[in-house]
C-alpha cells in the first residue's frame, strides 16, 4: 500500500513538472508572432535570431511571471484554507486581494500624481499593508462567528468595501492613470519587466521556502490546535507565520498582476485530489506547481482565444475555477447530509 502511494506521488509530480515545462514552451512560442523551439535554443546559445526582442523582452518575462505568481497563488490559498480550516478560503474570496489592490491604487494615484516613480518594492509594501488590513478584519470576524459561510460572507463584504474605496480613489486619477489602473485591476501578466521578475522571484522563493520549513508543524496543526500544542508546536507563532506568509504572497501577486480570482481556492483541492493526501510536505510543492500550471494555461488562453484582443487573466481563471468551487460546496453539503 505504501509503495503504491509513493508511485502515485512520483507520477503526480512528474505530470505537474512536465505540464509546467510544456506550458512554458507553448507560452513563449505561441502568439501573433510564431517563435520556434529551435529559435529559443539558438537564442540561449547566444546566436542571433529573428524576433529575439519579442522572445526576451516580452514573452519570457511574462511566462516567468505566470509561473512564479501562479505558484504563489496556489500556496497562499493552501495557507489560508489550512489557517481557517475552511475549504473555500482564498486571497480573492476573503477580500485580501481587494485590500492589497486598494492600497496599491492609492499609492499609484498619489505618487504618480506627484510625479514620483513607483518601484516594485514599494508596490509590494503597499500591497502587503492592504493585505494585512483586510486580513485583520477577517481575523476579527472569525473570532466572532463559527460558521464558515459567515466568514466567507464577511470576506466578500470586506472585498466590496475595498473595491468601493478603490473606485473612489480612481476618480481622482488623470486619464493616463485611469487606463493603467483599469488594465492592472482586471488582472494581467502583460507588461512584466526583468526587474519585476527579479523582485517577485526573490520574494516568492524566500517566502515559499519559509512555508516549506513549516511542513512539520503544519501537519500537526491540521489535526487540531490541542494536538499540535501537545507535540510542542507554538500554535500562536505558527498562526502568525501563516498570516504573514500568506499576506506576503498575496501582496506580491496583486502588486505585479492585479487581483486574480479562484486560483487560490481551486488549486489546493485539485492537488489534494490528485495526491490523495493532505500532508503539507507534499501539498506545498504540489500547490505551487499546480498554481503555476493553472496560470500558465489560463494566460495562454487569455492571449490567444480572442486574439488580437486579450482577455483579463481573472476572466479565464474564473471560467475554470468557479465550477471547481461549486463542486467543492456541493460535495461538502452531500458529506454533511450523509453524516
Amino acid at each position: 500500500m505504501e509503495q503504491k502511494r509513493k508511485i502515485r506521488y512520483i507520477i503526480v509530480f512528474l505530470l505537474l513538472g512536465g505540464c509546467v515545462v510544456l506550458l512554458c514552451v507553448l507560452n513563449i512560442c505561441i502568439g501573433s508572432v510564431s517563435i520556434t523551439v529551435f529559435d529559443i535554443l539558438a537564442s540561449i546559445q547566444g546566436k542571433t535570431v529573428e524576433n529575439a526582442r519579442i522572445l526576451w523582452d516580452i514573452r519570457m518575462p511574462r511566462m516567468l511571471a505566470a509561473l512564479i505568481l501562479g505558484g504563489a497563488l496556489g500556496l497562499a490559498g493552501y495557507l489560508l484554507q489550512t489557517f481557517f480550516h475552511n475549504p473555500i478560503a482564498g486571497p480573492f474570496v476573503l477580500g485580501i486581494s481587494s485590500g492589497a489592490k486598494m492600497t496599491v491604487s492609492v499609492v499609484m494615484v498619489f505618487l504618480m500624481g506627484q510625479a514620483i516613480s513607483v518601484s516594485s518594492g514599494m508596490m509590494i509594501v503597499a500591497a502587503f499593508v492592504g493585505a494585512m488590513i483586510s486580513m485583520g478584519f477577517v481575523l476579527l470576524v472569525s473570532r466572532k462567528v463559527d460558521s464558515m459561510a459567515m466568514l466567507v460572507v464577511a470576506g466578500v463584504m470586506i472585498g466590496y468595501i475595498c473595491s468601493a474605496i478603490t473606485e473612489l480613489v480612481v476618480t481622482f486619477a488623470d486619464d493616463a492613470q485611469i487606463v493603467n489602473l483599469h488594465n492592472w485591476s482586471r488582472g494581467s501578466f502583460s507588461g512584466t519587466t526583468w526587474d519585476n521578475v527579479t523582485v517577485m522571484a526573490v520574494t516568492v522563493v524566500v517566502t515559499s521556502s519559509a512555508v516549506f520549513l513549516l511542513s512539520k508543524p503544519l501537519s500537526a496543526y491540521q489535526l487540531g490546535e490541542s494536538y499540535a500544542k501537545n507535540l510542542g508546536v507554538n500554535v500562536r507563532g505558527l498562526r502568525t507565520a501563516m498570516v504573514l506568509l500568506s499576506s506576503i504572497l498575496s501582496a506580491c501577486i496583486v502588486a505585479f498582476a492585479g487581483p486574480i480570482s479562484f486560483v487560490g481556492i481551486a488549486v489546493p483541492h485539485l492537488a489534494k485530489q490528485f495526491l490523495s493526501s493532505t500532508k503539507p510536505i507534499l501539498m506545498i510543492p504540489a500547490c505551487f506547481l499546480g498554481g503555476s500550471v493553472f496560470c500558465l494555461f489560463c494566460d495562454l488562453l487569455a492571449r490567444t482565444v480572442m486574439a488580437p484582443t486579450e482577455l483579463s487573466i481573472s476572466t479565464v481563471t474564473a471560467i475554470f475555477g468557479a465550477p471547481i468551487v461549486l463542486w467543492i460546496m456541493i460535495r461538502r453539503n452531500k458529506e454533511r447530509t450523509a453524516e
Side-chain angles (χ1 to χ4, degrees), residues 57 61-62 120 189-200 256:
D57 294 347
R62 179 169 182 159
S120 300
F189 296 116
S190 64
T192 304
T193 64
W194 282 106
D195 287 340
N196 294 153
V197 171
T198 302
V199 174
M200 72 176 71
F256 291 110

Side-chain angles (χ1 to χ4, degrees), residues 255-310:
F256 291 110
I260 300 175
S261 60
F262 292 105
V263 180
I265 306 175
V267 167
H269 289 281
L270 291 174
K272 197 181 299 180
Q273 288 296 313
F274 288 135
L275 290 168
S276 290
S277 173
T278 57
K279 293 178 181 178
I281 199 165
L282 295 170
M283 284 292 293
I284 289 169
C287 286
F288 191 94
L289 290 172
S292 297
V293 169
F294 202 104
C295 283
L296 284 166
F297 175 69
C298 290
D299 191 45
L300 181 62
L301 293 182
R303 288 195 299 111
T304 58
V305 168
M306 301 286 287
T309 302
E310 184 175 314

Side-chain angles (χ1 to χ4, degrees), residues 90-120:
F92 191 82
V93 170
L94 294 180
I96 297 166
S97 293
S98 297
K101 172 185 168 184
M102 174 187 70
T103 49
V104 169
S105 63
V106 169
V107 168
M108 287 175 70
V109 170
F110 176 75
L111 293 184
M112 288 181 178
Q114 303 295 319
I116 300 172
S117 61
V118 181
S119 66
S120 300

Side-chain angles (χ1 to χ4, degrees), residues 192-274:
T192 304
T193 64
W194 282 106
D195 287 340
N196 294 153
V197 171
T198 302
V199 174
M200 72 176 71
V202 171
T203 305
V204 172
V205 167
V206 171
T207 308
S208 301
S209 299
V211 174
F212 190 76
L213 292 174
L214 294 176
S215 296
K216 197 170 182 179
L218 279 173
S219 184
Y221 180 82
Q222 286 179 334
L223 298 173
E225 291 186 22
S226 300
Y227 180 80
K229 286 178 182 177
N230 290 335
L231 290 179
V233 175
N234 182 349
V235 173
R236 180 174 291 182
L238 178 63
R239 288 172 65 88
T240 302
M242 290 165 70
V243 168
L244 290 174
L245 293 172
S246 60
S247 296
I248 291 171
L249 290 170
S250 301
C252 189
I253 296 152
V254 173
F256 291 110
I260 300 175
S261 60
F262 292 105
V263 180
I265 306 175
V267 167
H269 289 281
L270 291 174
K272 197 181 299 180
Q273 288 296 313
F274 288 135

Side-chain angles (χ1 to χ4, degrees), residues 285-337:
C287 286
F288 191 94
L289 290 172
S292 297
V293 169
F294 202 104
C295 283
L296 284 166
F297 175 69
C298 290
D299 191 45
L300 181 62
L301 293 182
R303 288 195 299 111
T304 58
V305 168
M306 301 286 287
T309 302
E310 184 175 314
L311 300 172
S312 74
I313 189 67
S314 279
T315 301
V316 185
T317 56
I319 290 170
F320 292 98
I324 296 172
V325 176
L326 288 171
W327 169 70
I328 293 163
M329 294 173 71
I330 292 168
R331 186 178 176 185
R332 284 189 66 82
N333 187 56
K334 284 182 178 178
E335 288 174 356
R336 286 181 180 177
T337 305

Side-chain angles (χ1 to χ4, degrees), residues 52-248:
R53 185 178 174 277
I54 294 174
L55 169 63
W56 289 104
D57 294 347
I58 300 174
R59 291 193 189 168
M60 191 73 80
R62 179 169 182 159
M63 177 273 291
L64 290 172
L67 175 73
I68 296 165
L69 298 181
L73 266 170
L75 207 50
Y78 172 71
L79 283 174
L80 291 170
Q81 288 174 16
T82 303
F83 181 88
F84 289 107
H85 301 291
N86 189 326
I88 55 174
F92 191 82
V93 170
L94 294 180
I96 297 166
S97 293
S98 297
K101 172 185 168 184
M102 174 187 70
T103 49
V104 169
S105 63
V106 169
V107 168
M108 287 175 70
V109 170
F110 176 75
L111 293 184
M112 288 181 178
Q114 303 295 319
I116 300 172
S117 61
V118 181
S119 66
S120 300
M122 193 183 296
M123 292 273 278
I124 291 179
V125 171
F128 177 72
V129 171
M132 288 301 295
I133 291 170
S134 295
M135 179 67 92
F137 280 112
V138 172
L139 290 173
L140 285 174
V141 171
S142 68
R143 291 183 178 181
K144 301 292 183 182
V145 299
D146 296 324
S147 169
M148 289 192 298
M150 285 301 297
L151 181 63
V152 172
V153 169
V156 171
M157 292 302 104
I158 291 166
Y160 276 124
I161 293 168
C162 291
S163 295
I165 295 172
T166 302
E167 292 298 323
L168 182 64
V169 169
V170 169
T171 60
F172 295 100
D174 58 38
D175 292 342
Q177 288 175 339
I178 288 173
V179 172
N180 291 332
L181 281 167
H182 177 68
N183 291 336
W184 167 78
S185 65
R186 290 168 65 238
S188 177
F189 296 116
S190 64
T192 304
T193 64
W194 282 106
D195 287 340
N196 294 153
V197 171
T198 302
V199 174
M200 72 176 71
V202 171
T203 305
V204 172
V205 167
V206 171
T207 308
S208 301
S209 299
V211 174
F212 190 76
L213 292 174
L214 294 176
S215 296
K216 197 170 182 179
L218 279 173
S219 184
Y221 180 82
Q222 286 179 334
L223 298 173
E225 291 186 22
S226 300
Y227 180 80
K229 286 178 182 177
N230 290 335
L231 290 179
V233 175
N234 182 349
V235 173
R236 180 174 291 182
L238 178 63
R239 288 172 65 88
T240 302
M242 290 165 70
V243 168
L244 290 174
L245 293 172
S246 60
S247 296
I248 291 171

